[in-house]
């Protein structure tokens, strides 16, 4: 039984100098075989394992991770959570996720610090405003919270945002999703890992998949750096490497991998109390609980698996930041990094079956995967457990690239994040 | 009290130039050449800040970029800056500094209440609590956020300006200590183009704090001065002091930030006449990393008391700044370098109460010298406690047990006001690591050193940066690297001789003791700080290990170790090594975290330079922009263009003005500036073939002199652009594109021509800015044109719709296209831009009698919507096919191929019930739907409800006397006459589905 | 920031160029005969390798010519640049990269 986390256990452990805390998760050696193997120990993979156990009672599961848990995009993103998507398919999926976020800390008994501080998405041209209205009206009719603010309301909501009509791209208005916000990214991976482990799932770090065992078009296990492991079903959730894994299984994906950069400033006292995103000036920013401004923008243009990124992107991002927030000009940026995002032609993910039987992929989340973590894990667990896609996952099948039924969120997303 | 701890002589400060500064509201004196830190110490100020989490009182730990504690809010008002290291602030007269993260004052800080509850605040405590009740997290967070953060953001925009510069170098040398100077001299003498940067105000590095070094027979400081003089005399050498190399990118690109005026009073004329900082991008053939090494503090109980300092820092303050950090020091070390510090302190008149050496013996040359000076040396001893809350008062030392993991009862207390420690030196491998080089562990010096370079990068670490700590080693290294860089770049002149250092005392072996035991179990009584700024203690590392956060990244993220503004410069190795001990593996097996840029924090505003405000993105203006401005037109942003939106007359609202403009076009004549249209000149024998491939319709039979509308698809079958293209001659076409799509279309066409059809003879030129375009439209357009172009035949026979003619308009050679976007007879008059204003004015003058009316983009949109003409990007969104738009008529069935053709046959794209472009007429003719309004077929009481489409365009049409709208509606063409619902903003509007043509559906007006 | 050797202009900073994605994807001339799945392979499916990537770049702020680059997507080392229409050169990498 896991130790419960609460102020009381914290206080009790304080008395014993915190020497009696136990491991958040075990580090077992891999068993010869599992019912389900999840490849990828990021937020999505761990969430998938957690919901396999919690919702479907499947606990003979291993999550195998080539490095350390949450070491991919889970630990590299700007932690924005929202569900204000244009198309119904996306709105349903991301809202499903947002609802799970809303009870996640309690469900996991791990504080993921989901802060619903409000997410402002600014419009800077007449055309921007039209697109914004289209999106907000659609979101509202999907039963999701979203509202339109005019320039004055934006200025009142976020006073440090430059709403001057003389700006190069003046703020015309914004959409606001009050339920949107940010969360503590690492905690999501750790919380799911702890929850999955408590339900008997093996979490195996430093174990890299080197190939799939496929017999008669059916996956029967994986080859890893820690030996061969059998499995009835395999779910692959490896942002930044799904193309490589698909290659091992002998098929291609409509995916290209690019670095997405992010940065933080030095920590300062609270100055920004919401998330602000601008597609036109091209930056998104929030302030972490620690006080750092956390910001990012678009992907590096060329295919890359380097988690470093190119300096022109940094320059543009910082430029955009000071354009929207002139008072940030004298602050200093502290750290820059990049994650590798797998982008689909329609900026929507791929969830579901593959040409190989019992091999499932969940990938292509592009720049927006973090917010989807609980929902993605939830629908993917259903898909793996039942063999059929969850209703919210069904539209995101790989098949859509053949039929042409794309879910093109490019225009609607406004800005990558 | 004036500079009580200023030494009577010595140091590199200029005692003839006293400076006045204010810290926390109180004035102090210092000298030119001081840093804020050295000046504070000289004034006996040891308490300078509060820690992040526990609000512990903190002093100055270091003398450089690695400082974790002494963070200052510098300056005031719009020029106020948070979190600046006192150790890096050059003192100027009138400097105003304030301590941070304390309230109401540094000595009485209410936040220190956290310290009382520290027991319940171990690493990661927030993951375990604040979960109940569920709705309270936002309240907890509010409180947590206020406790966190360090300094304050300015409340006004930065008034200073910044500069950017690009440079190339044969050798970029980072660090101007002995190794860097030797490298610069060698490369410079050989003739290479050298850029030498150093983050400090004065070049010379460790030689500036070293009283014993001599090179080539000269005292170290003299050698530095001579070397710099020689380098300054070399035309190809650039010296950049006060410049930090903060980021190392692909293919040997290094970013530098030069602090041009930060050492000056910010409002002095000298500061105001220059950019504050300058961002350099240097592409170097070779980068020589002479970045030195950073001393590690030892991890002992309560090692954060104000007065606890790195040994080398004390040496620097004494030798370089003539400021004593205290009166009486206790020094603890695991190596010999601290002995030199003790000797220097004693020489300067500062008392050294004891050297506490954790090694079992200290027999080296330096230890002997210290003994000879009467310094008490306690080997195999450790400091087990430090007393003094706001300043060190005394320490307790104990003899250690054999394994170093505990202490014996044998010991005593020593009174002192500073505790100096040296846990060894970690080479500054930040830039090497950023260049994606691999590190390796050197067990002799207990440090990570550079190992393998990433292919495609070219740098060389020299001297202390690669773990070579001896002065002669640094000089040899630097000289060799400088010579090699010059040789590799093709310079053959002599690099001169390797500088020769005097004999330096030898250093004995170190002891790896990553945690100095105390009398109580770890975490029980005292705190052993590892990461000072983020308040991460040794007990936190142990907790992380206990709970399974054992990989280096988990350790870092769980404890926040190394994530403060100093990026763990003094703490990372201590934490990793402690984790290695806990896991029973070696330090390199634990690994390191990735070194991320920047090396030290850099000003955000410097990245904008002047590229902000109107320079953020170029503003494109038409040749008639000033006319529009003079006539009161507001502008609409379309891509980078500013287009005249409408021309309000006095007292008119936008609605009034647009109605007037729209009516004028239908009743008389309007004039529009259409110069922003994208234009591409297409020539070559295969031009017609090419158009056949890129447009959906057929082009081969178009006659010269005629024009045709074309629709362009992506390979996915979705509409990407449209426009009218004209055949000038057999092999010469003039294509127009949408305003926003011009660049994209140009790139698209070039891509296909160069990559897929390189054998085809087609040549493209963007001519958007070579042609200004004035459109006159309306029943009187022809008459008006005939008056200003008397030589042009304008009858329908000679100049029919969809043709063009060259002629003279208002005395100017023009090309006139008869094409329409309004449905009225329209002439688009193209000319060289410099004549545009003349022709426009001539038309305005001649048209006065017809009431010629300039109209903007809004009226243009209404006019085309009345006719049901689409705008790509408005009626389409990248998911729209020609069939969706009801434009099947323009998709050739005969052509064997064109871009996008095959994709139209896919299962989803050929579905008959896709979203179709239709018209919508609201029940209330005065109700104008918002563009973007969503359409519902089956209305429900409340959301969610299923949407079947959205409004793409919507206007009030004065010519129809009612509102009109276009919409994409699922299966819309089979819903004609159906009433749909548009719920938005708390109401529901009903509208009927119609054909998307509202005015003159037969097209009768096209001939005027 | 990449330093890209344009075959026509010489070495230039990456920001002068436009990336034009995977190279050597020939447009099928028999699209009408292809199945939707085959067409999707051409339209969307990409190699996206971790290692040598054969890709196209256009010198947008220079000669505006397209050319091919063989580049490592992990190290960003550029092994070869070659003009359009030329076959992809085989790249042999040293071990341990």
């Amino acid at each position: 039984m896991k130790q419960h986390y609460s102020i009381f256990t914290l206080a009790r452990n304080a008395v014993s100098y915190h020497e009696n805390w136990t491991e958040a998760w075990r580090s077992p050696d891999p068993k010869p075989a599992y019912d389900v193997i999840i490849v990828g120990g990021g937020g999505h993979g761990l969430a998938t394992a957690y919901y396999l156990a919690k919702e479907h009672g499947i606990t003979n599961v291993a999550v195998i991770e080539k490095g350390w848990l949450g070491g991919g995009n889970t630990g590299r993103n700007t932690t924005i959570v929202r569900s204000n998507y244009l198309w119904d398919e996306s709105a349903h999926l991301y809202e499903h996720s947002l609802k799970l976020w809303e009870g996640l800390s309690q469900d996991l008994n791990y504080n993921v610090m989901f802060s619903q501080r409000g997410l402002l998405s600014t419009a800077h041209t007449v055309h921007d405003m039209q697109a914004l209205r289209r999106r907000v009206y659609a979101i509202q009719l999907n039963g999701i919270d979203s509202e339109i603010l005019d320039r004055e309301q934006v200025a009142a909501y976020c006073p440090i945002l430059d709403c001057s009509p003389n700006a190069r791209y003046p703020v015309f208005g914004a959409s606001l999703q009050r339920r949107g916000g940010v969360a503590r990214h690492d905690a999501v991976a750790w919380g799911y890992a702890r929850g999955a482990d408590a339900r008997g799932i093996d979490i195996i770090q430093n174990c890299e998949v080197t190939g799939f065992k496929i017999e008669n078009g059916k996956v029967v296990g994986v080859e890893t750096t820690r030996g061969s492991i059998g499995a009835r079903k395999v779910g692959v959730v490896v942002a930044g490497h799904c193309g490589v894994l698909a290659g091992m299984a002998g098929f291609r994906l409509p995916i290209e991998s690019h670095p997405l950069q992010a940065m933080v400033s030095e920590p300062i006292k609270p100055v920004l109390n919401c998330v602000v995103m601008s597609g036109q000036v091209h930056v998104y920013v929030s302030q972490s609980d620690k006080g750092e401004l956390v910001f990012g923008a678009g992907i590096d243009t060329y295919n890359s698996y380097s988690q470093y990124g190119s300096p022109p992107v940094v320059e543009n991002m910082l430029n955009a930041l000071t354009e929207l927030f002139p008072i940030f000009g004298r602050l200093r940026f502290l750290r820059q990094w990049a994650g590798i995002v797998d982008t689909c032609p329609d900026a929507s993910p791929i969830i579901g079956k593959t040409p190989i039987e019992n091999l499932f992929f969940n990938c292509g989340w592009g720049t927006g995967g973090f917010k989807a973590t609980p929902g993605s894990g939830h629908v993917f667990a259903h898909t793996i457990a039942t063999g059929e896609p969850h209703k919210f996952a069904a539209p995101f099948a790989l098949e859509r690239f053949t039929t042409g039924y794309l879910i093109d969120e490019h225009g609607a997303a406004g800005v990558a994040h | 009290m004036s500079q009580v701890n200023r030494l009577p002589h010595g140091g590199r400060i200029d005692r003839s130039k006293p400076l006045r500064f204010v810290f926390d509201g109180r004035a102090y004196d210092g000298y030119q050449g001081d840093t804020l830190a050295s000046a504070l110490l000289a004034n006996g100020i040891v308490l300078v800040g509060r820690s992040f989490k526990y609000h512990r009182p903190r002093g100055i730990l270091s003398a450089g970029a690695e400082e974790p504690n002494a963070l200052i809010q510098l300056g005031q008002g719009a020029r106020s800056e948070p979190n600046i290291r006192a150790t890096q602030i050059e003192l100027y007269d009138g400097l105003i500094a304030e301590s941070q993260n304390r309230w109401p004052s540094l000595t009485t800080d209410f936040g220190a209440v956290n310290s009382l509850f520290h027991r319940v605040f171990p690493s990661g405590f927030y993951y375990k609590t604040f979960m109940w009740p569920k709705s309270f997290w936002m309240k907890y967070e509010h409180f947590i956020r206020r406790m966190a953060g360090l300094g304050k953001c300015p409340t006004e925009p930065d008034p200073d300006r910044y500069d950017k510069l690009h440079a190339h170098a044969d050798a970029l040398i980072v660090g101007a200590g002995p190794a860097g100077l030797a490298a610069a001299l060698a490369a410079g003498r050989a003739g290479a183009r050298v850029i030498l940067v150093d983050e400090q105000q004065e070049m010379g590095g460790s030689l500036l704090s070293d009283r014993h070094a001599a090179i080539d027979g000269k005292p170290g400081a003299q050698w530095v001065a001579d070397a710099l003089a020689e380098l300054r005399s070399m035309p190809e050498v650039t010296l950049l002091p006060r410049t930090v190399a903060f980021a190392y990118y692909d293919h040997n690109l290094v970013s530098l930030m030069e602090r041009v005026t930060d050492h000056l009073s910010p409002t002095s004329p000298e500061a105001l006449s220059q950019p504050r900082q300058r961002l350099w991008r240097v592409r170097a053939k070779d980068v020589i990393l002479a970045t030195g090494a950073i001393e590690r503090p030892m991890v002992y109980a309560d090692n954060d008391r104000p007065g606890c300092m790195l040994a080398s820092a004390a040496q620097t303050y004494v030798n370089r700044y003539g400021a004593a950090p205290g009166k009486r020091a206790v020094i603890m070390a695991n190596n010999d370098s601290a002995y030199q510090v003790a000797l220097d302190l004693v020489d300067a008149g500062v008392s050294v109460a004891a050297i506490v050496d954790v090694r079992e013996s200290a027999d080296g040359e330096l230890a002997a010298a210290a003994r000879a000076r009467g310094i008490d040396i306690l080997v195999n001893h450790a400091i087990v406690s430090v007393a003094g809350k706001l300043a060190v008062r005394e320490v307790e030392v104990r003899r250690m047990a054999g394994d170093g993991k505990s202490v014996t009862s044998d010991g005593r207390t020593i009174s002192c006001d500073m505790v100096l420690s040296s846990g060894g030196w970690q080479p500054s491998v930040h830039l090497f690591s950023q260049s994606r080089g691999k590190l390796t562990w050197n067990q002799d010096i207990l440090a990570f050193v550079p190992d393998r370079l990433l292919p495609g990068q070219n740098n060389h670490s020299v001297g202390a940066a690669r773990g070579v700590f001896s002065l002669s080693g640094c000089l040899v290294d630097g000289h060799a690297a400088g010579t090699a860089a010059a040789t590799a770049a093709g310079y053959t002149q002599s690099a001169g001789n390797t500088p020769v250092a005097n004999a330096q005392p030898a250093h004995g072996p170190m002891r790896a003791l990553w945690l100095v035991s105390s009398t109580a179990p770890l975490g029980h009584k005292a705190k052993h700080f590892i990461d000072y700024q983020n308040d991460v203690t040794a007990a936190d590392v142990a907790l992380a290990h206990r709970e399974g956060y054992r990989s280096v990244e988990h350790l870092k993220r769980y404890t926040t170790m190394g994530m403060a503004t100093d990026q763990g410069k003094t703490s990372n190795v201590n934490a990793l090594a402690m984790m290695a001990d806990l896991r029973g593996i070696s330090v390199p097996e634990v690994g390191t975290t990735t070194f991320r840029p920047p090396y030290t924090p850099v000003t955000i505003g410097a990245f904008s330079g002047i590229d902000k405000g109107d320079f953020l993105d170029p503003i494109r203006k038409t040749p008639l922009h000033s006319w529009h401005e003079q006539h009161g037109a507001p502008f609409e942003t379309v891509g980078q263009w500013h287009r005249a939106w409408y021309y309000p007359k006095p007292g008119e609202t936008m609605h009034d003005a647009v109605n007037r403009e729209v009516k004028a076009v239908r009743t008389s004549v309007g004039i529009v500036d259409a110069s922003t249209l994208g234009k591409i000149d297409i020539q070559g024998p295969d031009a017609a073939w090419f158009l056949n491939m890129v447009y959906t319709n057929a082009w081969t039979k178009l006659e010269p002199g005629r024009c045709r509308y074309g629709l362009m698809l992506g390979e996915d079958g979705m509409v990407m652009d449209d426009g009218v293209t004209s055949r000038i001659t057999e092999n010469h076409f003039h294509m127009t594109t949408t305003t926003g799509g011009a660049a994209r279309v140009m790139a698209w066409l070039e891509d296909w021509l160069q990559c897929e059809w390189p054998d085809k003879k087609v040549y493209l030129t963007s001519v958007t800015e070579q042609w200004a375009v004035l459109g006159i439209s309306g029943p009187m357009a022809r008459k008006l044109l005939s008056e200003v172009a008397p030589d042009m035949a304008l009858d329908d026979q000679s100049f029919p719709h969809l043709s063009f003619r060259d002629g003279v308009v208002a005395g100017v050679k023009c090309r006139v296209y008869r094409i329409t976007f309004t449905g009225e007879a329209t002439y688009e008059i193209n000319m060289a831009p410099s004549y545009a204003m003349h022709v426009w004015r001539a038309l305005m003058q001649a048209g006065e009698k017809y009431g010629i009316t300039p109209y903007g983009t809004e009226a243009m949109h209404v006019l085309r919507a009345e006719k049901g003409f689409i705008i790509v990007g408005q009626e389409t969104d990248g998911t729209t096919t020609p069939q969706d738009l009801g434009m099947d008529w323009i998709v050739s069935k005969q052509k064997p191929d064109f871009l996008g053709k095959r994709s139209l046959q896919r299962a989803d794209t050929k579905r008959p019930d896709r979203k179709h472009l239709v018209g919508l007429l609201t029940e209330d003719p005065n109700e104008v739907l918002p563009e973007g309004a969503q359409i519902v077929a089956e209305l429900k009481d409340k959301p969610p409800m299923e949407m079947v489409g959205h409004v793409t365009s919507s206007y009030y049409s004065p010519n129809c006397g009612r509102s009109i709208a276009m919409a994409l509606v699922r299966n819309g063409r089979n819903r004609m006459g159906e009433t749909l619902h548009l719920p938005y903003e708390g109401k529901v509007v009903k509208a009927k589905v119609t054909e998307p043509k509202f005015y003159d559906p037969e097209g009768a007006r096209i001939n005027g | 920031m990449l330093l890209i050797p344009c075959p026509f202009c010489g070495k230039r900073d990456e920001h002068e160029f436009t990336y034009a994605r995977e190279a050597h994807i020939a447009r099928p001339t028999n699209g009408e005969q292809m199945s939707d799945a085959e067409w999707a392979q051409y339209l969307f499916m990409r190699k996206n390798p971790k290692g040598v990537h054969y890709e196209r770049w256009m010198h947008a702020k220079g000669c505006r010519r397209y050319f091919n680059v063989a580049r490592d997507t992990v190290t960003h080392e550029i092994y070869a640049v070659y003009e359009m229409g030329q076959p992809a050169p085989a790249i042999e990498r040293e071990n341990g990269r």
Side-chain angles (χ1 to χ4, degrees), chain A residues 188-361:
Chain A
V188 178
W190 299 339
Y192 274 120
R194 179 168 165 271
D197 177 87
R199 287 170 165 78
I201 287 168
D202 284 356
I203 292 166
I204 301 160
Q205 300 184 69
N206 299 307
C207 179
E208 183 169 358
V209 168
T210 54
F212 292 98
K213 294 198 291 184
I214 295 167
E215 290 172 7
N216 303 323
K218 196 172 183 177
V219 72
V220 295
V222 294
E223 303 289 353
T224 78
T225 49
R226 293 176 69 176
S228 177
I229 312 174
R232 291 173 202 275
K233 294 177 180 178
V234 177
V236 176
V237 207
V238 289
H241 287 89
C242 65
V244 177
L245 273 283
M248 288 178 193
F251 59 92
R252 279 191 194 172
L253 293 169
I255 278 178
E256 293 182 291
S257 301
H258 296 260
L260 174 66
Q261 302 191 51
M263 309 169 90
V264 293
S265 75
E266 294 186 309
I268 46 172
K269 291 293 176 191
V271 65
L272 176 64
N273 300 321
C274 60
V275 184
V276 176
M277 310 175 59
S278 167
Q280 176 72 42
V281 183
H282 215 68
V283 71
Y284 44 88
V285 57
S286 67
Q287 188 175 15
S288 74
D289 286 349
K290 210 178 146 193
E292 298 154 331
L293 298 170
V294 184
F295 44 100
I299 58 173
D300 284 24
T301 57
Y302 45 91
N303 290 41
S304 168
Y305 290 89
S306 134
Q307 291 172 329
Y308 286 77
S310 181
V313 177
V314 173
E315 266 183 54
N316 293 340
M317 195 192 299
L318 291 168
N319 207 355
L321 183 73
T322 52
E323 188 67 16
L324 290 180
F325 297 95
I327 66 165
F328 291 167
R330 224 171 165 89
L331 301 179
R332 303 190 299 174
F333 95 84
L334 172 61
R335 192 166 56 245
Q336 169 268 329
W337 67 92
I340 303 305
V341 298
D342 291 337
T343 57
C344 279
D346 59 355
S348 286
I350 298 166
I351 313 170
K353 300 181 188 179
T354 67
I356 311 294
E357 199 179 334
N358 289 344
L359 178 64
F360 303 86
F361 263 60

Side-chain angles (χ1 to χ4, degrees), chain B residues 561-635:
Chain B
M561 173 282 295
M563 299 183 81
T565 66
D566 58 304
Q567 297 271 287
K569 290 187 178 65
T570 56
S571 60
N572 279 346
V573 175
N574 281 340
L576 299 177
M578 193 186 152
M579 179 56 85
D581 277 355
L582 289 165
R583 289 174 63 181
I585 59 177
S586 68
V587 179
E589 283 175 284
V590 174
T592 64
T593 58
T594 310
F595 288 81
R596 293 291 179 188
Y599 162 69
T600 49
V602 283
T603 308
I604 289 171
F607 288 81
S608 310
I610 61 161
D611 303 324
K612 53 185 184 180
D614 281 353
F615 297 118
L616 177 72
D617 204 15
I619 298 175
R620 298 177 79 180
K621 296 175 179 176
T622 75
L624 298 164
H625 189 89
S626 61
W627 192 95
H628 307 321
E629 245 173 0
Q630 284 155 18
H631 291 78
F635 290 87

Side-chain angles (χ1 to χ4, degrees), chain B residues 249-251 283 436 455 693 715 747 750-752 754-756 897-899 901-903 906-907, chain C residues 1-3 13 27 31-32 34-36 39 42-43 56 64-66 74-77 84 97:
Chain B
Y249 296 105
D250 285 327
H251 300 178
R283 186 78 77 171
R436 296 205 266 160
M693 285 304 292
E715 251 313 42
E750 279 188 341
D751 187 338
W752 286 105
Q754 291 189 37
C755 304
E756 196 65 29
D897 197 7
F898 58 84
L899 296 179
K901 181 170 198 269
R902 172 63 184 83
S903 287
R906 292 176 299 164
Chain C
M1 179 148 62
L2 305 181
L3 188 63
D13 268 354
R27 183 170 187 269
E32 301 292 306
M34 291 167 78
S35 70
D36 282 1
W39 183 249
Y42 154 72
L43 205 51
R56 304 177 306 144
R64 290 195 71 82
R65 299 277 296 272
Y66 282 80
V74 179
T75 63
H76 293 177
E77 192 177 4
M84 297 311 307
R97 283 192 183 167

Side-chain angles (χ1 to χ4, degrees), chain B residues 82 302 429 573:
Chain B
D302 290 331
V429 294
V573 175

Side-chain angles (χ1 to χ4, degrees), chain B residues 414-481:
Chain B
I414 306 172
S415 77
C416 59
D417 60 0
M418 52 180 160
V419 184
L420 311 180
S421 79
S422 175
W425 296 76
Q426 171 54 51
S428 291
V429 294
H430 306 78
L431 291 174
F432 173 78
S433 183
Q434 283 183 29
S435 81
R436 296 205 266 160
K438 294 273 177 262
L439 301 174
T440 186
W441 179 254
N442 181 328
Q443 186 63 25
D444 291 337
I445 60 168
L446 301 175
F448 286 101
V449 292
D451 186 15
R452 274 184 300 127
L453 263 182
L454 181 84
Q457 301 284 37
N458 185 31
N459 62 54
H460 296 87
S461 295
V462 295
R466 72 174 186 103
V468 172
F469 296 140
S470 74
L471 179 56
S472 63
C474 288
L475 295 168
V476 169
D477 248 18
H479 183 79

